């Protein structure tokens, strides 16, 4: 639809009644300029964190299905309030939850994937000139259980809707002016990008740049949705996320990130024979545990060591799986370390330049920061370091690539 805009407002942007009213005014200005609007909202402020904390007072390990039932309530509050605020200023708006517009997902509770969205009801309402307000972050599975898309998942709801409705653009309104070379709340001298490629944004998002949910970027790339990340507190142009071909300049390093919610698992003295790695990683994958960096040392005396990182929240489950395997093999031991952080540098220019990794390693070494694991791809370098050196490492890597001067 030519004049259709999808807008998404994050938690801070709808943090209290005053802010919700301000968002309503912004929506009204687009509405009066002739746009059709589908607006996705997150839960107010820290609601999702508060709900998680509440659940933990009841149970140490709540059933994931019930967790999603609880978490989805946050977004249902904000869609209703925003629709009311729009009515107050004379804009016809209607709110929907995921069940009402059938945002179909798989059944991976707390981290579900969107499979299909039915657009019929939204299109009907848009035709009647209503602004459609949709609850972000939630979905329904084939049995009509409520699911959620993983923390930060409202971005993905917005992009999936933009793709399904063939919107002109998907605007992500947040509390910063766009995508920066590093988290501007953590790094001195971080600079805003005018444009960034899908691939770089995808790496940045999966490596810890919380400004966009990584699956939203995957969707945007797959369906060619133009993403515009901007602030809900001003009218400045933000950052456009576009295909790499549209980038005039290919930066050597376009961003650095820090991830602090991963843990390292080390399996030592395990059998050195074909099939062992397959056994470990199939068992983890069967429980939907995402493994990131993997390092295997050279075997000795028919014994081997494999280390890898997983999300810290999955440690308990991983421990159960791995201890079972060790028992079956009758040898080896497992240890866990939550005291790690992953610092990464990302840039499409790395494809054609050497020496980027060396500069990063040197900069960390000069500060006496020990590198515990390394992983690289065509456009990124990641190092595992001690958690308490994380912030310093982030700044140091940002400085060494001169990103404050972009
Ligand atoms: P919202 O609630 O609007 O979805 P988020 O907290 O999820 O907001 O994302 C915005 C935050 O992302 C910013 O406040 C900023 O601290 C953080 N952030 C991390 N990395 C970056 C980056 N490279 N550029 C911009 N913001 C970033
Ligand atoms: N409210 C959810 C969260 O805090 C989803 C989102 O904000 O995107 O993770
Ligand atoms: Mg977010």
């Amino acid at each position: 639809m030519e004049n259709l805009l999808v807008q998404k407002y994050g938690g801070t942007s709808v943090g209290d009644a005053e802010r919700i009213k301000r968002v309503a005014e912004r929506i009204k200005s687009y509405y009066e300029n002739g746009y059709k609007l589908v607006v996705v909202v997150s839960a107010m402020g820290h609601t999702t964190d508060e709900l998680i904390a509440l659940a933990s007072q009841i149970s140490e390990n709540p059933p994931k299905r019930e967790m999603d039932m609880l978490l989805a309530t946050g977004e249902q509050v904000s869609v209703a309030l925003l629709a009311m605020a729009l009515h107050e200023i004379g804009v016809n708006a209607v709110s929907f939850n995921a069940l009402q517009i059938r945002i179909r997902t798989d059944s991976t509770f707390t981290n579900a994937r969107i499979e299909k969205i039915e657009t019929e009801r939204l299109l009907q309402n848009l035709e009647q000139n209503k602004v459609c307000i949709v609850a972000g972050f939630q979905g329904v599975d084939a049995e009509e259980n409520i699911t959620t898309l993983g923390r930060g998942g409202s971005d993905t709801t917005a992009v999936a809707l933009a793709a399904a409705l063939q919107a002109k653009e998907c605007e992500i309104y947040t509390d910063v002016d766009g995508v920066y070379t590093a988290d501007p709340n953590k790094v001195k001298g971080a600079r805003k990008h005018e444009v960034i490629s899908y691939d770089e944004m995808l790496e940045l998002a999966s490596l810890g740049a919380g400004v966009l949910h990584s699956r939203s970027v995957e969707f945007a790339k797959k369906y060619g949705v133009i993403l515009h990340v901007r602030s809900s507190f001003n009218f400045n142009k933000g950052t456009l996320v576009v295909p790499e071909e549209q980038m005039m300049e290919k930066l050597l390093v376009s961003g650095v990130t820090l991830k602090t919610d991963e843990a390292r698992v080390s399996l030592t003295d395990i059998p050195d024979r074909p099939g062992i790695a397959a056994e470990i990683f199939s068992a983890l994958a069967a429980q939907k545990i995402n493994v990131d960096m993997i390092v295997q040392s050279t075997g000795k005396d028919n014994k081997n060591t494999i280390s890898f990182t997983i999300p810290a929240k999955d440690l308990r489950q991983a421990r159960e799986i791995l201890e079972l395997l060790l028992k079956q093999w009758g040898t080896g031991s497992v240890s866990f370390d939550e005291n790690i952080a992953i610092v990464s540098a990302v840039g499409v220019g790395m494809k054609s330049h050497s020496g980027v990794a060396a500069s990063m390693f040197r900069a960390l070494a000069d500060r006496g920061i020990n590198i515990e694991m390394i992983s690289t791809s065509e456009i990124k370098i990641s190092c595992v370091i001690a958690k308490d050196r994380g912030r310093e490492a982030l700044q140091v890597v940002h400085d060494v690539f001169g990103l404050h001067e972009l």
Side-chain angles (χ1 to χ4, degrees), residues 6 16 40 46 66 75 96 112 122 163 167 169 200 214 226 245 249 265 267 272 325 345 378 384 404:
V6 173
D16 57 32
V40 174
H46 298 290
E66 304 313 327
E75 272 69 12
F96 296 106
L122 290 175
E169 193 172 302
E200 283 168 305
S214 60
I226 298 168
E245 308 83 77
E249 197 188 0
V265 180
L267 288 161
D272 186 18
L325 284 180
E378 237 189 348
V384 171
H404 52 287

Coordinates of all heavy atoms in Angstrom, one line a residue, residues 6 16 40 46 66 75 96 112 122 163 167 169 200 214 226 245 249 265 267 272 325 345 378 384 404:
V6 N 4.3 2.0 8.7 CA 4.3 1.2 10.0 C 5.2 2.0 10.9 O 6.4 2.3 10.6 CB 4.7 -0.2 9.8 CG1 4.8 -0.9 11.2 CG2 3.7 -1.0 8.9
D16 N 5.0 6.8 30.1 CA 4.0 7.3 31.1 C 2.8 8.0 30.3 O 2.9 8.1 29.0 CB 4.6 8.2 32.1 CG 5.2 9.4 31.5 OD1 4.8 9.9 30.4 OD2 6.2 9.9 32.1
V40 N 2.8 -0.1 16.0 CA 3.1 -1.2 17.0 C 3.7 -0.5 18.2 O 4.5 0.4 18.2 CB 4.2 -2.1 16.3 CG1 4.7 -3.2 17.3 CG2 3.6 -2.7 15.1
H46 N 9.5 0.0 32.0 CA 10.2 -1.2 32.4 C 9.2 -2.3 32.8 O 9.5 -3.3 33.5 CB 11.1 -1.0 33.6 CG 12.2 0.0 33.3 ND1 13.3 -0.4 32.5 CD2 12.4 1.2 33.7 CE1 14.1 0.7 32.3 NE2 13.6 1.7 33.1
E66 N 3.5 -20.1 30.5 CA 2.8 -19.2 31.5 C 3.6 -17.9 31.5 O 3.0 -16.8 31.7 CB 2.8 -19.8 32.9 CG 2.0 -21.1 32.9 CD 0.7 -21.1 32.2 OE1 0.0 -20.1 32.1 OE2 0.3 -22.2 31.6
E75 N 2.1 -5.3 26.7 CA 1.8 -4.7 25.5 C 0.3 -4.4 25.3 O -0.2 -3.5 24.7 CB 2.3 -5.5 24.3 CG 3.7 -5.2 23.9 CD 4.8 -5.6 24.9 OE1 4.5 -6.4 25.8 OE2 6.0 -5.2 24.7
F96 N -5.4 -3.8 18.7 CA -5.5 -5.2 18.5 C -4.4 -5.9 19.2 O -3.2 -5.5 19.3 CB -5.3 -5.5 17.0 CG -6.3 -5.0 16.1 CD1 -6.1 -3.9 15.3 CD2 -7.6 -5.6 16.1 CE1 -7.1 -3.4 14.5 CE2 -8.6 -5.0 15.3 CZ -8.3 -4.0 14.5
A112 N 9.7 -17.1 20.3 CA 9.0 -17.6 19.1 C 9.3 -16.9 17.8 O 9.7 -15.7 17.9 CB 7.5 -17.6 19.4
L122 N -6.7 -5.9 9.4 CA -6.0 -4.6 9.4 C -6.4 -3.8 8.2 O -6.8 -2.6 8.3 CB -4.5 -4.8 9.4 CG -3.9 -5.4 10.7 CD1 -2.4 -5.7 10.6 CD2 -4.1 -4.4 11.9
A163 N 6.3 -5.8 6.1 CA 6.5 -6.7 5.0 C 5.1 -7.2 4.5 O 4.8 -7.2 3.3 CB 7.4 -7.8 5.4
A167 N 4.3 -2.0 3.3 CA 4.4 -0.6 3.7 C 5.5 0.2 3.0 O 6.5 -0.5 2.6 CB 4.5 -0.5 5.2
E169 N 7.5 2.3 4.4 CA 8.6 2.3 5.3 C 8.2 1.8 6.7 O 7.1 1.9 7.0 CB 9.1 3.8 5.4 CG 10.4 4.0 6.0 CD 10.9 5.5 5.9 OE1 11.0 6.0 4.7 OE2 11.1 6.1 6.9
E200 N 25.4 -5.3 8.1 CA 26.2 -4.8 9.2 C 25.2 -4.6 10.4 O 25.5 -5.0 11.6 CB 26.7 -3.4 8.9 CG 28.0 -3.4 8.1 CD 28.3 -2.1 7.5 OE1 27.5 -1.4 6.9 OE2 29.5 -1.6 7.7
S214 N 17.5 -8.5 16.5 CA 18.1 -8.9 15.2 C 17.2 -9.6 14.2 O 17.3 -9.4 13.0 CB 19.3 -9.9 15.6 OG 18.8 -11.0 16.3
I226 N 12.3 -1.0 4.1 CA 13.2 0.1 4.5 C 12.9 0.5 5.9 O 11.8 0.7 6.4 CB 13.0 1.4 3.6 CG1 13.3 1.0 2.2 CG2 13.8 2.5 4.1 CD1 12.8 2.1 1.2
E245 N 24.2 -2.5 -1.6 CA 24.5 -1.8 -2.9 C 24.2 -0.3 -2.8 O 24.7 0.5 -3.5 CB 23.6 -2.4 -4.0 CG 23.6 -3.9 -4.1 CD 22.7 -4.6 -3.2 OE1 21.4 -4.6 -3.4 OE2 23.2 -5.1 -2.2
E249 N 29.7 4.6 0.8 CA 31.0 4.4 1.4 C 31.0 3.1 2.2 O 30.1 2.9 3.0 CB 31.2 5.6 2.3 CG 32.6 5.9 2.7 CD 32.6 7.0 3.8 OE1 31.5 7.4 4.2 OE2 33.7 7.3 4.3
V265 N 30.9 -22.2 28.3 CA 30.9 -23.6 28.8 C 32.1 -24.3 28.3 O 32.5 -24.1 27.1 CB 29.6 -24.4 28.1 CG1 29.6 -25.8 28.6 CG2 28.3 -23.6 28.4
L267 N 34.1 -28.1 28.1 CA 34.0 -29.5 28.3 C 35.5 -30.0 28.2 O 36.1 -29.8 27.1 CB 33.2 -30.2 27.2 CG 31.6 -30.0 27.4 CD1 30.9 -30.3 26.1 CD2 31.1 -30.9 28.5
D272 N 38.0 -38.1 22.1 CA 38.4 -37.5 20.9 C 38.1 -38.4 19.7 O 38.9 -39.2 19.2 CB 39.9 -37.2 20.9 CG 40.4 -36.4 19.7 OD1 39.5 -35.8 19.0 OD2 41.6 -36.4 19.5
L325 N 25.3 -36.3 29.1 CA 26.3 -36.8 28.0 C 27.5 -37.3 28.7 O 28.0 -38.4 28.3 CB 26.6 -35.7 27.0 CG 25.5 -35.3 26.0 CD1 26.0 -34.2 25.1 CD2 25.2 -36.5 25.1
A345 N 33.8 -6.0 16.7 CA 33.9 -4.9 15.8 C 33.3 -5.4 14.5 O 33.5 -6.6 14.1 CB 35.4 -4.5 15.5
E378 N 33.4 -12.8 7.8 CA 33.8 -11.8 6.8 C 33.7 -10.4 7.2 O 34.5 -9.5 6.9 CB 32.9 -12.0 5.6 CG 33.6 -12.3 4.3 CD 32.7 -12.3 3.1 OE1 31.5 -12.2 3.3 OE2 33.2 -12.3 2.0
V384 N 36.1 -12.8 23.4 CA 35.6 -13.0 24.7 C 36.7 -12.5 25.7 O 37.9 -12.8 25.6 CB 35.4 -14.5 25.0 CG1 35.0 -14.8 26.5 CG2 34.2 -15.1 24.2
H404 N 35.1 7.9 16.5 CA 34.6 9.2 16.9 C 34.8 10.3 15.9 O 34.2 11.4 15.9 CB 35.3 9.6 18.3 CG 36.8 9.6 18.2 ND1 37.4 8.4 18.2 CD2 37.7 10.5 18.1 CE1 38.8 8.6 18.0 NE2 38.9 9.9 18.0

